[in-house]
Amino acid sequence: DIVMTQSPDSLAVSLGERATINCKSSRSVLYSSNSGNYLAWYQLKPGQPPKLLIYWASTRESGVPDRFSGSGSGTDFTLTISSLQAEDVAVYYCQQYYSTPTFGQGTKVEIK
Amino acid sequence: QLQLQESGPGLVKPSESLSLTCSVSGDSITSSNSYWGWIRQAPGKGLEWIGNIHYSGTTNYNPSLKSRVTISVDTSKNQFSLKLNSVTAADTAVYYCARHGQQLVYSYFDYWGQGTLVTVSS
């Protein structure tokens, strides 16, 4: 299995400030034949199913605000919320789909 | 708009089998040629992929659960199902069904059910 490790486990950010979440995979999730990074990001709020935010490491899902962005390649990835809003309070997960899907342990984002 | 809805018992006794069904509406389970999966989240834990199925019946399972899991599909009812045998308290979780986003065996998940809590307890 590819192990996904997120950092930090939690972070508190002031409204309007930037939030950055890191995700590291134990093996590269970059598929050389198509140059695709098999990495997605989800937002999970209590009582709701996970919401897909980003796939292919940097492609924003339709309807997702542009304050959410994904970057990185190979083994190191980042989810950035450029200007934190109150509705962004949630737990965020990365997921690799290069092989048997696995998720990071989650990062809890709160308001400072 | 594609919608998924899990159904099944919320309480299962230890050593018995857990059975859940995911009903798909808004589109045919065969039309997108996608894989359809099950994911769970135990209390206070992260997300764990259980397995998936293509409408043709092809399945893929998480190696850690493979010996206990069966996923099946009923295209006539536009449903797919999960059966997990010999459950223990460690199988207590919210179980989600979801669609893999692209026509890949492994992919991200773009549509999710609301999730259903299954508790394993005597």
Side-chain angles (χ1 to χ4, degrees):
Chain A
D1 280 4
I2 297 177
V3 176
M4 308 299 291
T5 304
Q6 293 180 226
S7 62
D9 289 334
S10 64
L11 75 161
V13 176
S14 300
L15 288 173
E17 295 301 305
R18 178 184 301 261
T20 301
I21 301 168
N22 300 303
C23 175
K24 189 175 184 67
S25 58
S26 60
R27 288 192 284 127
S28 176
V29 298
L30 173 62
Y31 194 38
S32 57
S33 66
N34 62 6
S35 300
N37 284 285
Y38 285 51
L39 190 285
W41 289 96
Y42 301 87
Q43 176 191 65
L44 184 52
K45 296 180 179 180
Q48 298 183 21
K51 176 184 178 181
L52 175 66
L53 299 175
I54 302 284
Y55 55 96
W56 298 122
S58 61
T59 301
R60 198 179 301 114
E61 171 73 331
S62 176
V64 172
D66 60 7
R67 63 180 180 274
F68 291 92
S69 63
S71 62
S73 184
T75 61
D76 293 281
F77 300 90
T78 300
L79 175 71
T80 301
I81 309 173
S82 61
S83 176
L84 190 75
Q85 305 299 303
E87 61 265 33
D88 300 334
V89 170
V91 180
Y92 293 84
Y93 292 89
C94 59
Q95 176 226 335
Q96 65 79 21
Y97 46 99
Y98 184 91
S99 64
T100 305
T102 51
F103 295 84
Q105 81 277 17
T107 295
K108 186 175 185 179
V109 174
E110 300 172 307
I111 304 294
K112 185 187 293 184
Chain B
Q1 176 78 349
L2 189 69
Q3 292 186 315
L4 293 81
Q5 180 65 58
E6 307 87 352
S7 60
L11 181 63
V12 181
K13 289 182 169 57
S15 79
E16 295 188 348
S17 295
L18 175 163
S19 293
L20 296 173
T21 295
C22 182
S23 298
V24 178
S25 60
D27 199 3
S28 169
I29 203 168
T30 63
S31 65
S32 64
N33 207 33
S34 295
Y35 280 78
W36 303 83
W38 289 96
I39 304 98
R40 70 180 183 179
Q41 184 176 32
K45 303 289 187 180
L47 297 162
E48 179 180 35
W49 179 77
I50 299 170
N52 66 20
I53 191 165
H54 186 264
Y55 75 83
S56 63
T58 302
T59 54
N60 300 278
Y61 298 127
N62 187 325
S64 68
L65 297 168
K66 188 174 184 177
S67 64
R68 298 195 291 133
V69 173
T70 302
I71 297 176
S72 58
V73 64
D74 186 336
T75 56
S76 66
K77 294 182 179 179
N78 223 34
Q79 296 176 338
F80 61 104
S81 299
L82 168 71
K83 185 177 182 181
L84 181 64
N85 297 323
S86 305
V87 298
T88 69
D91 295 310
T92 294
V94 175
Y95 286 76
Y96 297 98
C97 59
R99 188 186 79 165
H100 282 276
Q102 296 199 254
Q103 298 171 14
L104 303 172
V105 173
Y106 302 132
S107 183
Y108 52 87
F109 302 95
D110 57 356
Y111 288 93
W112 294 70
Q114 283 296 311
T116 187
L117 174 63
V118 179
T119 301
V120 178
S121 175
S122 55

